[in-house]
Amino acid sequence: MASPPGSRNAGVLRVRAPVSPRQSAISAVGIWVVFFGVWTLANRMGWVNPILVPPPDQVLKTLYTLFAEQGFASDVLISVERVLVAFAMACLVAVPLGVAMGAFPAIDVVLSPFVSAWRYLPAPSFIPILLMWFGTGEAPKLALLFLGVIFFLITLIADHTKEVRKELIETALTLGAGQRVTVLRVMLPAVLPSIVTAMRQMLAMTWTYLVIAEIVASTTGIGAMMMRARRFLHTDEILAGIIVIGALGLVFDMAFAALHRRLFPYLQESR
Amino acid sequence: MAEVLLHIEQLSKSFPMPGGRLLTAVENVSFTVETGSVCVLLGPSGSGKSTILRIIAGLETQTAGAVRLRGRPIAGPGRDRGMVFQAYTSFDWLPVGKNVEFGMKINGVPARERRERAARFVDLVGLTKFIDAYPSRLSGGMRQRVAIARTLANAPEVLLMDEPFGALDAETRWQMQELMVDIARDSGATIIMVTHDIEEAIFLADKIVFLSSHPGRLREVIVPDFKPAERIRNKERVLELPGFGQLERKIMRMMREEGERV
Ligand SMILES: Nc1ncnc2c1ncn2[C@@H]1O[C@H](COP(=O)(O)OP(=O)(O)O)[C@@H](O)[C@H]1O
Ligand SMILES: [Mg+2]
């Protein structure tokens, strides 16, 4: 078998070899087909207890009835609202603080020691005290979500702002810009794409804290529904809840990606 | 070339080093820059060229000595001393035209005048076709043109350039050098340029300030007076002038001596 020169390593796995869109589409669908295939097979063959692991088609049916007959949509809406409100509040605080820390070392040396210390405290450790302070309404949940992301968000934004190239800042100064103009008209637009990317990452984290908040301390929302289902051994409802959380996370992530493309068209134009 | 625009007087700068020692980057350097002239700071790397330019720009403060612009000591950066850096400084979120308008906009030039001036300087650097394009679509040389147009459109009294063509390929580089001749001739701008390219220095300079290194001291002020008073745009023609080769060899010898000193 004479092989042409250079073809010695021409198998499927070649370092950094580009993949056709077709191959990547088939691969993406394929992995899920395998996943659901194994799951179905496990149920059919009786390898798993159907009470603990219901078959996929039953989970999908349950998902439908949850929405159609059991008013699950209102739980979903409440969860989405909590994430969005808490996340918006976190951004409103984090963007100005982070940019100010990244722009002015005098502000950074004050806030940095404070913010970094809080980052190492797991937000869920505040749940008991938040419940005592805020009672059982929306406030403790929003506070947990807020605390869970705010310090990371501030740090990320401050770091990105510190990375704005010195030459850009000095160009602004030698064009006659003062402090305010340099920060608002040069540093802020320069760092904005990175800020939106940081937000995208932190939004995913907000979802994590939402589920914790709703499982521990809520009677409404997707997490609370899942805890209710647990009491009645409704594993299909729990799995349906997981699917909805995953789907929502994906939708929000895609929305942020689209927003990024929309806001920063100049980044796409680079060759 | 009579009137002196900038006096650099006994300028010294030292940087604190880790361990408490001081590094003397510039020591007792004096020279003048005449209105409408091109002054080139030349010397081996580490001879304090960038430091001197940054002090003139107000981005760095001297340890001793003074820089006076029309007699006034400079204090901090300002629009009267525009700077072009070696690294790209295009504002990527603004199209070319808006990049060029930026300085005028923050300095309160009315929108109409701003647009007209921007169009004129974009044309001067040959980018009219790209006035609405984002900088990310441009090549390195084109981005440097944007930076030059942006600085010139802001009407500084001095244009400061720190190895502006250092990152460009050879062909783009001489095109940019010829563009600088156009700018010096047509806009009458006063230019101070840092380079370590001897050919570039001789081609562009009315006055070469040659610095020696460690610490950066003034070694010699060279006036390439073999060139005619009228600026010549075509680089080969300058290279062909009697006197070019001789000066180039002289400066190369100076560079070599500097290299041997360390
Ligand atoms: N911010 C700084 N801190 C410490 N040392 C510096 C700084 N800037 C320049 N230097 C030192 O000063 C000397 C001159 O530097 P520079 O002006 O950049 O030289 P050139 O531009 O001629 O290469 C070098 O030894 C350099 O390391
Ligand atoms: Mg330098």
Side-chain angles (χ1 to χ4, degrees):
Chain A
M1 230 184 88
S3 55
S7 70
R8 192 151 49 98
N9 291 324
V12 182
L13 296 181
R14 274 173 300 146
V15 173
R16 295 278 160 86
V19 162
S20 72
R22 206 176 97 101
Q23 185 184 347
S24 79
I26 292 175
S27 305
V29 174
I31 184 75
W32 286 105
V33 169
V34 170
F35 174 76
F36 284 106
V38 170
W39 183 357
T40 311
L41 195 70
N43 280 111
R44 290 275 162 82
M45 306 300 284
W47 296 338
V48 290
N49 179 347
I51 295 177
L52 295 182
V53 186
D57 53 317
Q58 188 191 328
V59 173
L60 289 181
K61 257 180 265 160
T62 305
L63 188 59
Y64 175 79
T65 26
L66 273 176
F67 277 108
E69 293 160 24
Q70 298 180 31
F72 186 43
S74 72
D75 277 313
V76 173
L77 221 61
I78 283 177
S79 293
V80 169
E81 194 181 305
R82 284 173 184 153
V83 166
L84 291 184
V85 170
F87 186 68
M89 291 193 308
C91 291
L92 278 178
V93 177
V95 173
L97 278 186
V99 171
M101 284 167 71
F104 302 106
I107 295 181
D108 192 46
V109 292
V110 175
L111 292 181
S112 221
F114 185 77
V115 170
S116 338
W118 285 99
R119 253 187 338 152
Y120 294 104
L121 283 170
S125 61
F126 290 94
I127 293 177
I129 196 116
L130 291 177
L131 287 172
M132 290 175 71
W133 286 345
F134 297 111
T136 52
E138 285 304 289
K141 289 137 204 157
L142 295 179
L144 175 71
L145 270 57
F146 182 85
L147 283 178
V149 295
I150 184 77
F151 299 111
F152 285 94
L153 200 52
I154 291 177
T155 311
L156 277 175
I157 292 174
D159 287 348
H160 286 308
T161 309
K162 286 174 198 166
E163 279 160 21
V164 171
R165 282 174 30 241
K166 187 171 139 211
E167 289 88 356
L168 284 191
I169 297 167
E170 294 183 339
T171 297
L173 293 173
T174 56
L175 285 170
Q179 301 297 309
R180 203 186 128 82
V181 169
T182 305
V183 174
L184 296 181
R185 305 273 270 277
V186 176
M187 298 184 76
L188 186 60
V191 77
L192 211 52
S194 306
I195 290 182
V196 173
T197 303
M199 284 181 179
R200 187 175 162 192
Q201 291 158 354
M202 286 301 113
L203 185 64
M205 196 153 140
T206 315
W207 277 102
T208 309
Y209 286 113
L210 171 86
V211 177
I212 294 173
E214 289 184 347
I215 285 180
V216 177
S218 180
T219 53
T220 51
I222 305 172
M225 180 286 280
M226 288 158 67
M227 283 311 272
R228 272 199 308 278
R230 175 181 154 262
R231 246 183 289 153
F232 305 104
L233 295 180
H234 288 170
T235 32
D236 50 346
E237 292 184 2
I238 297 180
L239 291 174
I242 291 176
I243 290 176
V244 169
I245 290 169
L248 284 173
L250 187 68
V251 166
F252 275 99
D253 194 62
M254 282 168 23
F256 250 97
L259 180 74
H260 201 281
R261 279 193 299 275
R262 183 77 185 265
L263 286 177
F264 313 115
Y266 55 88
L267 294 179
Q268 268 79 48
E269 278 198 38
S270 51
R271 270 176 306 151
Chain B
M1 249 172 288
E3 194 197 346
V4 174
L5 183 66
L6 264 173
H7 289 272
I8 285 84
E9 294 162 351
Q10 291 162 13
L11 203 62
S12 296
K13 170 77 185 177
S14 39
F15 292 102
M17 296 301 282
R21 289 206 350 268
L22 286 180
L23 180 132
T24 307
V26 177
E27 193 171 82
N28 201 21
V29 170
S30 306
F31 61 95
T32 55
V33 182
E34 285 68 33
T35 305
S37 74
V38 178
C39 172
V40 170
L41 304 184
L42 183 65
S45 85
S47 56
K49 305 181 295 290
S50 298
T51 304
I52 294 172
L53 201 70
R54 291 173 59 79
I55 293 171
I56 297 172
L59 295 171
E60 208 82 75
T61 39
Q62 65 272 32
T63 319
V67 176
R68 288 178 214 286
L69 180 71
R70 295 187 194 284
R72 287 173 286 119
I74 57 129
R79 63 175 299 197
D80 50 355
R81 285 150 292 132
M83 179 109 160
V84 174
F85 297 83
Q86 175 173 1
Y88 301 141
T89 53
S90 30
F91 298 147
D92 290 342
W93 56 95
L94 299 174
V96 169
K98 298 282 175 207
N99 258 279
V100 175
E101 282 183 44
F102 186 89
M104 295 183 277
K105 183 161 181 180
I106 63 174
N107 287 303
V109 176
R112 244 192 76 176
E113 189 188 334
R114 212 159 70 207
R115 267 198 300 277
E116 284 168 10
R117 267 181 79 80
R120 205 163 79 237
F121 283 95
V122 168
D123 185 53
L124 176 69
V125 297
L127 287 179
T128 299
K129 251 180 28 193
F130 295 93
I131 195 161
D132 292 320
Y134 283 111
S136 53
R137 272 190 49 207
L138 307 182
S139 68
M142 286 153 93
R143 287 197 205 191
Q144 278 314 60
R145 288 166 197 249
V146 175
I148 292 168
R150 182 177 58 194
T151 310
L152 285 174
N154 201 34
E157 294 205 61
V158 199
L159 173 61
L160 307 171
M161 308 176 92
D162 194 353
E163 304 200 24
F165 314 136
L168 305 181
D169 60 80
E171 185 195 348
T172 315
R173 204 179 162 102
W174 63 250
Q175 286 171 354
M176 295 296 289
Q177 291 164 355
E178 293 188 343
L179 173 68
M180 290 315 297
V181 174
D182 287 341
I183 288 170
R185 193 175 49 196
D186 302 344
S187 72
T190 307
I191 300 170
I192 307 179
M193 183 194 249
V194 165
T195 186
H196 57 233
D197 177 338
I198 299 173
E199 202 179 271
E200 179 171 281
I202 303 176
F203 176 51
L204 290 175
D206 297 315
K207 176 192 272 186
I208 297 173
V209 174
F210 191 96
L211 297 154
S212 62
S213 54
H214 305 295
R217 290 206 185 103
L218 180 72
R219 174 149 171 194
E220 189 174 341
V221 173
I222 302 163
V223 178
D225 48 14
F226 70 90
K227 295 195 286 186
E230 172 93 336
R231 292 184 197 283
I232 302 174
R233 182 184 200 279
N234 187 309
K235 194 170 173 187
E236 308 83 285
R237 279 193 45 214
V238 176
L239 263 61
E240 282 160 5
L241 288 174
F244 186 97
Q246 198 190 343
L247 183 55
E248 188 178 29
R249 284 191 296 277
K250 170 185 162 154
I251 296 177
M252 279 176 84
R253 266 196 304 276
M254 291 165 75
M255 281 279 196
R256 192 189 298 280
E257 284 162 20
E258 290 302 324
E260 282 160 2
R261 272 188 41 219
V262 274

